Amino acid sequence: MSQVTSPVTPRVLRNPVIRGFAPDPSMVRVGDWYYVATSSFEWYPTIPVHRSRDLAHWEYAGHVRGAVPGDSLAGVPDSGGVWAPSLSWDGERFWVVYSVVRSVGTPYFDLDTYVSTASHVAGKWTAPRRVASHGFDPALFHEDGRLWLLNMQSDHRPGGQRFAGIVMTELNRETLSRVGDTHLLLQHERLVEGPKLLRHGGWYHLALAEGGTGFEHGVRVARSRTLTGPYELDSRPLLTSRDDPSVPLQKAGHAELVETPDGGWVLSHLTARPLRTPHGPRCTLGRETAIQTVVWDADGWPRLGHGGWHPAVKVEVGGRGGCREGVGLGGGVPAPEEAHEPYVPEPSEPSEVLAWPWSTLRSYADASWADTTTRPGWIRLRGRHGPESRWAQSLLAQRITEHRAKAQVTVEARPRTFTQAAGLVLWYCAKSYLSLDLTWAEPEGEAQRGQQWRGGGHTVLSLVERDEEGARQAAVVEVDARTPVTLGVTVEGAEARFWFVRDPDRDADGDGVRVPVGPPLDFSRLSDDYGSRLRFTGAMAGIHARDLVDASFTADFSGFRLTCVPD
């Protein structure tokens, strides 16, 4: 039965709707709520989920806790980890399927695909269960009580196609074991991945990510009268910006079609906002989440509501009208009661340090290295491995969401050796970061030979830039470590300028004198598009500490602020 409500004035959303490192969005509607799950890669919390009632305003709604068996991604390479989760709703519970990828840039992705379910996105998710792992970017399709797993398949053999088509396997809903044969749905000379399946107008429609996830990215739709195919490709893309570098939203692709309560259709997709640099376009904010409206043409193919195939920045979306049933989309099904409440971390979460928007690398922060109770109002980090470790970094960071940003924090620490350091970091990966750290240096005029055990020496601020050529010290400034020091960085487009505050008590307004540290540095290297290897995340700002000898050095941080200014 349809439920009719009063019409609501259309709203204009501004893309991206989830800004800064929110790639591979998978969107589902449950009652009046829309939910989007995004990739987390090597970062925790795993699989962030956002929600919205109006498609324009989104809020963090929780994450898929325990997505990785053993709750550790130790050893996973940069841009490995949790790839492309697909979120669905079967009328009773949420399902998520995703791959944990442990090799990047090799013919073997060395991945495992898992399924987990929950009654509420912020609630308890079931322990992940492994399913058929043909390749990454899996999805689930629910129909008439049956469950199907879609995937791309990879052929690692010499001469094989790394992207060798889209396959589908029926799963037993209870055991998740295979039922029958695996079906090859489609192969295409252009790279296709990220399959999402829905039924509309008597057709099964297969939305495919096409052309890779860079500037060549796009969305192509295929359809069939029968579930197992054969599938016919549309003659033109549904969405792409690869043919016009002047389009503000680039890399448009990896999409999912969803029906709205009033019978309209929208498309969630990833996109990026490149900076124009002398080295070409670079996307420091990573890939983000955007939404477009969709209509169906006379031949039954989906088309962008504003025409063409380029993504729009401003999109008009309709009001919340009648609630009509849609196949596998949760239409007409009420949302879980708890979904209307603000997200609150469960008491069993390891540490308040991890409250969103904080993230950490490859494992949860816990009391062993991140502590908020010993010194109220401060975060205490115990130093562990260095910044290029894949195992035990002590780092907490937040997503940078705009091309203009400022981060600052006050740090108190007493480094006694060059193996100890703590400070403010702009982070992309182990080969792309900028950091301003309190550390130790030899006495003035003494050679850099590590004679810290002799005593002497002094505390300095060391500004380091790391790129594919290695790490370089851009500046060293001696500071007084007897009192806390405030560190900061200002990002303007492709440029980052670091600074610290000197003598705050002597300044009339109490803010202190901002002292530049080193020259402007190239922030655009902290992007998806710098370097020779695949990169999939986004720039972050945060705090970190290291102690390479015995992991006993601690540093206290307070007043961390990240301010991002929209264009």
Side-chain angles (χ1 to χ4, degrees):
M1 179 181 295
S2 297
Q3 182 182 13
V4 179
T5 60
S6 301
V8 177
T9 303
R11 301 166 302 282
V12 176
L13 62 82
R14 180 172 178 259
N15 282 316
V17 292
I18 306 175
R19 304 168 80 83
F21 182 18
D24 308 321
S26 176
M27 185 165 71
V28 64
R29 178 175 64 82
V30 181
D32 292 335
W33 284 98
Y34 298 90
Y35 297 89
V36 164
T38 54
S39 294
S40 49
F41 296 97
E42 68 265 37
W43 289 93
Y44 278 80
T46 46
I47 313 181
V49 180
H50 287 72
R51 68 178 182 177
S52 173
R53 286 182 184 269
D54 62 6
L55 295 170
H57 304 92
W58 291 81
E59 64 183 5
Y60 178 69
H63 62 276
V64 180
R65 297 180 55 219
V68 179
D71 251 344
S72 174
L73 288 167
V76 164
D78 292 329
S79 290
V82 180
W83 284 23
S86 182
L87 191 65
S88 58
W89 169 260
D90 68 356
E92 296 180 351
R93 53 183 171 164
F94 290 96
W95 294 68
V96 65
V97 60
Y98 53 93
S99 294
V100 177
V101 178
R102 299 187 182 275
S103 298
V104 178
T106 74
Y108 302 88
F109 292 104
D110 297 318
L111 59 84
D112 298 291
T113 298
Y114 296 100
V115 170
S116 182
T117 64
S119 299
H120 319 290
V121 293
K124 182 176 178 59
W125 289 84
T126 60
R129 289 186 286 173
R130 191 182 187 279
V131 295
S133 303
H134 295 281
F136 52 81
D137 288 10
L140 295 175
F141 178 66
H142 307 267
E143 185 179 54
D144 299 330
R146 298 171 74 180
L147 178 66
W148 299 83
L149 172 68
L150 293 103
N151 219 324
M152 54 81 69
Q153 67 173 348
S154 175
D155 188 344
H156 64 271
R157 296 172 298 179
Q161 293 186 9
R162 196 172 186 191
F163 294 81
I166 304 301
V167 297
M168 183 173 67
T169 307
E170 185 174 4
L171 301 179
N172 181 292
R173 285 176 55 85
E174 301 304 321
T175 66
L176 299 184
S177 58
R178 299 188 195 203
V179 177
D181 294 331
T182 294
H183 303 271
L184 177 63
L185 302 187
L186 176 142
Q187 288 181 319
H188 185 37
E189 65 272 7
R190 185 185 286 271
L191 181 159
V192 289
E193 55 188 334
K196 301 291 191 299
L197 188 64
L198 64 91
R199 190 176 181 183
H200 178 266
W203 293 92
Y204 292 96
H205 292 266
L206 191 60
L208 301 166
E210 181 187 55
T213 195
F215 289 98
E216 71 283 2
H217 208 16
V219 177
R220 183 70 64 96
V221 175
R223 69 183 183 183
S224 173
R225 290 292 188 185
T226 61
L227 178 60
T228 56
Y231 280 78
E232 166 200 6
L233 275 167
D234 193 356
S235 61
R236 47 156 284 188
L238 170 59
L239 174 76
T240 190
S241 45
R242 59 176 167 247
D243 59 333
D244 187 351
S246 69
V247 174
L249 300 178
Q250 289 289 313
K251 300 186 179 181
H254 198 102
E256 189 151 14
L257 286 154
V258 173
E259 189 177 11
T260 65
D262 58 1
W265 287 83
V266 291
L267 185 81
S268 64
H269 67 94
L270 69 77
T271 193
R273 293 174 285 161
L275 291 169
R276 308 298 173 181
T277 79
H279 313 286
R282 288 181 174 175
C283 302
T284 55
L285 306 179
R287 297 166 301 153
E288 307 170 281
T289 294
I291 290 174
Q292 310 294 328
T293 58
V294 167
V295 296
W296 298 85
D297 71 12
D299 294 324
W301 292 101
R303 302 287 180 237
L304 295 184
H306 59 269
W309 49 70
H310 293 161
V313 174
K314 293 183 179 180
V315 176
E316 186 176 281
V317 290
R320 287 165 49 201
C323 203
R324 306 197 324 188
E325 291 200 26
V327 176
L329 299 173
V333 179
E337 193 72 26
E338 286 83 353
H340 296 267
E341 301 300 325
Y343 170 72
V344 177
E346 294 187 8
S348 59
E349 291 198 15
S351 172
E352 293 180 3
V353 171
L354 268 185
W356 189 266
W358 285 115
S359 292
T360 189
L361 284 170
R362 296 181 176 85
S363 69
Y364 270 126
D366 58 39
S368 71
W369 66 268
D371 172 22
T372 58
T373 60
T374 301
R375 189 177 182 184
W378 294 71
I379 298 173
R380 174 165 293 175
L381 298 185
R382 179 172 56 82
R384 298 185 297 165
H385 289 184
E388 298 180 27
S389 170
R390 294 181 181 178
W391 290 269
Q393 283 199 51
S394 297
L395 180 149
L396 292 170
Q398 298 181 13
R399 287 157 171 77
I400 297 175
T401 61
E402 304 294 343
H403 292 130
R404 296 171 58 208
K406 183 178 79 170
Q408 69 179 63
V409 69
T410 298
V411 58
E412 184 172 8
R414 302 286 189 274
R416 305 295 184 189
T417 160
F418 67 92
T419 60
Q420 299 172 344
L424 179 67
V425 63
L426 296 181
W427 181 270
Y428 185 95
C429 67
K431 290 189 175 181
S432 292
Y433 63 85
L434 308 171
S435 66
L436 180 61
D437 297 325
L438 274 173
T439 188
W440 178 97
E442 288 85 357
E444 191 70 31
E446 187 172 300
Q448 183 175 301
R449 292 177 181 167
Q451 304 95 325
Q452 71 274 17
W453 53 85
R454 294 182 181 175
H458 51 278
T459 303
V460 298
L461 285 175
S462 172
L463 179 62
V464 171
E465 58 177 338
R466 174 63 159 101
D467 58 25
E468 285 203 330
E469 303 302 316
R472 295 177 298 280
Q473 194 170 63
V476 178
V477 178
E478 186 171 355
V479 292
D480 184 353
R482 292 173 295 179
T483 59
V485 58
T486 297
L487 312 179
V489 62
T490 303
V491 175
E492 293 281 349
E495 187 175 89
R497 294 177 179 267
F498 283 85
W499 43 270
F500 75 102
V501 172
R502 174 176 287 159
D503 298 330
D505 294 337
R506 300 180 189 177
D507 191 69
D509 57 13
D511 289 337
V513 178
R514 187 181 294 185
V515 180
V517 180
L521 300 180
D522 186 359
F523 181 66
S524 76
R525 292 175 179 170
L526 278 63
S527 74
D528 293 351
D529 315 294
Y530 168 76
S532 59
R533 299 195 63 181
L534 297 172
R535 296 153 67 107
F536 299 134
T537 57
M540 314 273 276
I543 56 177
H544 66 164
R546 67 178 180 268
D547 183 345
L548 307 181
V549 175
D550 60 11
S552 63
F553 166 72
T554 62
D556 292 350
F557 298 85
S558 72
F560 180 87
R561 296 201 303 272
L562 173 60
T563 306
C564 300
V565 182
D567 296 334

